[in-house]
Amino acid sequence: MEIKVELQVSANEVFEQLLESLIQDIKNSTGQTIPKNKLSKGFSYKKILRSNMGYDVTVNVQINELIQPNKYSATIENPKGTNTIEYSLRDTLKGVEITYKEYYKALSNLQNWNYLLVSLIYSRRSKKKMRKQFANLEQQILNAKNIK
C-alpha cells in the first residue's frame, strides 16, 4: 500500500509526533523510557500484538532509517513474515507532503499470494483509514499550536 497526503503543518512537527508515538510504543512495550537521541538505525525492541485470530504474538520492531525530519522506516518481524512501514516527508509551500508505504513479505509463497489477494480487497479501506489517521495527526498538531 502507498498513499500520499498533504497536511498544513511542517515536516518537523509531523516527525516530532512520529517520534513521540514511537517513544510511547517502546515504553508501553518494554517499560523503558528511551530518549529521542537514542533512537537510530538498528534500534530494536520486542512487543506483543494481538493476532486476528485472538492470540498474542511477539514481534520484533527494528528501525531501518531515521533521518529527521524526512524519513522513518521500520520493520516488524513476526513468526510468519515481515511488515515494513515507511514515512517520507517533504516540506511544501502549504505544509508537508507525506508518502506512506507499507508492505508485507511472508515466509512462504502461498502466504504472499494470500496477502496480495487480501490487500486488493481491503486496499481502499486501508488507505481511507490511514488518511483519517493523518488528518487526526494534523488536527492534534494544530490544536497543540493553539494551546501555546
Side-chain angles (χ1 to χ4, degrees):
M1 171 176 68
E2 179 177 337
I3 64 168
K4 283 188 181 187
V5 295
E6 288 193 31
L7 305 181
Q8 295 182 7
V9 294
S10 72
N12 276 326
E13 292 168 320
V14 172
F15 208 85
E16 279 299 312
Q17 286 294 332
L18 288 172
L19 290 178
E20 290 297 326
S21 294
L22 178 59
I23 289 168
Q24 189 60 49
D25 187 49
I26 294 167
K27 184 174 183 176
N28 293 344
S29 301
T30 67
Q32 298 176 335
T33 301
I34 304 295
K36 288 179 193 174
N37 64 350
K38 296 288 183 188
L39 297 175
S40 62
K41 180 178 180 176
F43 181 88
S44 67
Y45 63 100
K46 295 202 180 306
K47 69 185 281 182
I48 297 173
L49 296 176
R50 174 104 15 202
S51 76
N52 292 340
M53 303 302 279
Y55 55 89
D56 290 343
V57 176
T58 300
V59 299
N60 186 53
V61 180
Q62 181 171 335
I63 297 173
N64 299 330
E65 275 187 280
L66 187 76
I67 304 168
Q68 194 166 357
N70 302 107
K71 193 166 190 178
Y72 170 74
S73 172
T75 55
I76 300 126
E77 295 178 34
N78 67 58
K80 294 186 179 186
T82 303
N83 191 36
T84 302
I85 58 169
E86 180 180 300
Y87 296 85
S88 298
L89 294 86
R90 184 178 63 86
D91 278 316
T92 65
L93 294 175
K94 293 182 179 182
V96 63
E97 178 186 83
I98 303 171
T99 302
Y100 174 80
K101 297 178 185 176
E102 182 177 333
Y103 45 95
Y104 181 75
K105 176 73 174 153
L107 296 177
S108 76
N109 287 334
L110 182 60
Q111 288 174 329
N112 278 327
W113 281 103
N114 183 49
Y115 173 74
L116 287 173
L117 180 62
V118 170
S119 294
L120 288 173
I121 295 169
Y122 290 106
S123 175
R124 188 172 178 197
R125 184 186 311 175
S126 296
K127 288 179 180 182
K128 184 177 179 181
K129 182 179 175 184
M130 283 307 299
R131 281 189 177 89
K132 185 175 182 179
Q133 286 182 342
F134 282 123
N136 289 341
L137 174 65
E138 178 182 46
Q139 194 58 53
Q140 183 180 355
I141 293 168
L142 292 172
N143 289 344
K145 279 184 181 180
N146 290 336
I147 293 173
K148 291 181 181 178

